[in-house]
Amino acid sequence: MRLARKDKHSAEGQFKRDALLGIAHIQFQMGTVSYVQTGFDAEKFMTKLVGTLMSSERVWLSLFPGDSTRMKNFDSDVWLKDKDRAYANSKLQMCATPLSAADLPVEMYFAGYRLNASKFPEFFKGGGFFVMSRALKAVFEAHDLGKTTFKPVTLYARDRKTLTPGEWFTINFGETKDSYLPEKSEGSYPGTWIDGTWKIPPTAAAENDVVALAPAALSGVDFWKEETVPRVFFFSDRLAKALKDAKLAKWFRLKRCRIDRTALH
């Protein structure tokens, strides 16, 4: 039986009160179903219940798009062909506007002096695009991505002949939501690169619950950008858990968002 949100909060609050009192008899209501448990470990039972009730109530973020330390020095073929068009397209992608296949790179070339392929990340930004490994792509594709797609890209060393080991894919973003609450997110300030957008302070990368979202963030696709916060990735709890299980979440430095249920949108 699926609980309404208000019932979830009621059950959660009741269990917290009962467990803290250390009583051995707990009763709570799930609509018309009553559950009674005696002779239990109150703290363990409360933790399990609250985790179950709230597991789908989380959203996670990553400041990866705006983190310059996560960039690799690559040039893309589309950038070398038409820099103005490539720059305009990078702004479209930052706002999750899908690009045509012709505007996505087929090849990327390392522009630095030394490429250490043995320490290559599973996910990085290079040549104006976000690139991920096949292993990471498999985790994402097992979830609802909506209009977001991937395109294979070949990575070359500086000589443009030596291949970088592995299979690589660029992300073609295509999904946004409108649930960001700047007035309730700590330290938010207007962005300057794109009009009408907001930036999130670096503290959001170090702490949970700094960023506030409306409940609308809980529905829909599992990976998206917020319309007014283009330099941030957002993840459903399902996708975040899958990344953690695959030991690939470290590339994103995920932090939990706070869902504000008083928000109207």
Side-chain angles (χ1 to χ4, degrees), residues 122-259:
E122 299 280 347
F123 188 62
F124 65 93
K125 184 177 182 180
F129 295 89
F130 294 97
V131 181
M132 68 171 58
S133 68
R134 173 173 285 280
L136 193 54
K137 171 175 168 283
V139 176
F140 276 81
E141 288 189 322
H143 295 78
D144 182 3
L145 302 180
K147 297 177 181 178
T148 295
T149 58
F150 302 94
K151 181 182 177 181
V153 62
T154 303
L155 305 184
Y156 288 94
R158 184 180 177 85
D159 61 11
R160 301 193 182 183
K161 296 179 181 179
T162 305
L163 291 173
T164 299
E167 295 181 76
W168 304 93
F169 303 83
T170 54
I171 304 178
N172 190 8
F173 290 101
E175 291 291 343
T176 62
K177 296 182 184 181
D178 183 18
S179 61
Y180 181 62
L181 302 173
E183 71 281 3
K184 296 186 178 182
S185 298
E186 297 176 25
S188 286
Y189 59 98
T192 56
W193 192 43
I194 301 174
D195 292 340
T197 62
W198 293 84
K199 295 193 72 175
I200 294 173
T203 52
E207 302 174 16
N208 288 319
D209 302 324
V210 170
V211 170
L213 301 176
L218 297 171
S219 60
V221 297
D222 293 308
F223 181 54
W224 71 96
K225 291 189 173 188
E226 285 290 325
E227 292 180 6
T228 57
V229 196
R231 291 182 178 270
V232 182
F233 293 145
F234 290 88
F235 304 74
S236 70
D237 197 48
R238 294 180 294 275
L239 178 53
K241 183 178 185 303
L243 289 168
K244 292 174 183 177
D245 290 344
K247 301 187 185 320
L248 293 171
K250 65 179 182 180
W251 302 109
F252 300 99
R253 302 172 184 170
L254 299 175
K255 293 299 174 183
R256 186 180 63 236
C257 299
R258 175 167 45 86
I259 303 300

Side-chain angles (χ1 to χ4, degrees), residues 18-36:
D18 290 345
L20 290 174
L21 288 172
I23 64 175
H25 180 89
I26 288 182
Q27 182 175 4
F28 66 97
Q29 298 295 325
M30 294 185 177
T32 59
V33 179
S34 178
Y35 177 91
V36 178

Side-chain angles (χ1 to χ4, degrees), residues 44-57:
K44 181 177 180 181
F45 192 55
M46 178 193 71
T47 300
K48 183 176 180 181
L49 175 71
V50 172
T52 300
L53 292 178
M54 304 302 291
S55 62
S56 62
E57 301 290 299

Side-chain angles (χ1 to χ4, degrees), residues 48-70:
K48 183 176 180 181
L49 175 71
V50 172
T52 300
L53 292 178
M54 304 302 291
S55 62
S56 62
E57 301 290 299
R58 300 190 185 104
V59 170
W60 303 80
L61 67 79
S62 170
L63 295 187
F64 193 112
D67 186 350
S68 60
T69 66
R70 315 302 290 275

Side-chain angles (χ1 to χ4, degrees), residues 9-25:
H9 288 296
S10 176
E12 177 190 0
Q14 184 64 50
F15 266 84
K16 285 182 176 179
R17 289 191 294 272
D18 290 345
L20 290 174
L21 288 172
I23 64 175
H25 180 89

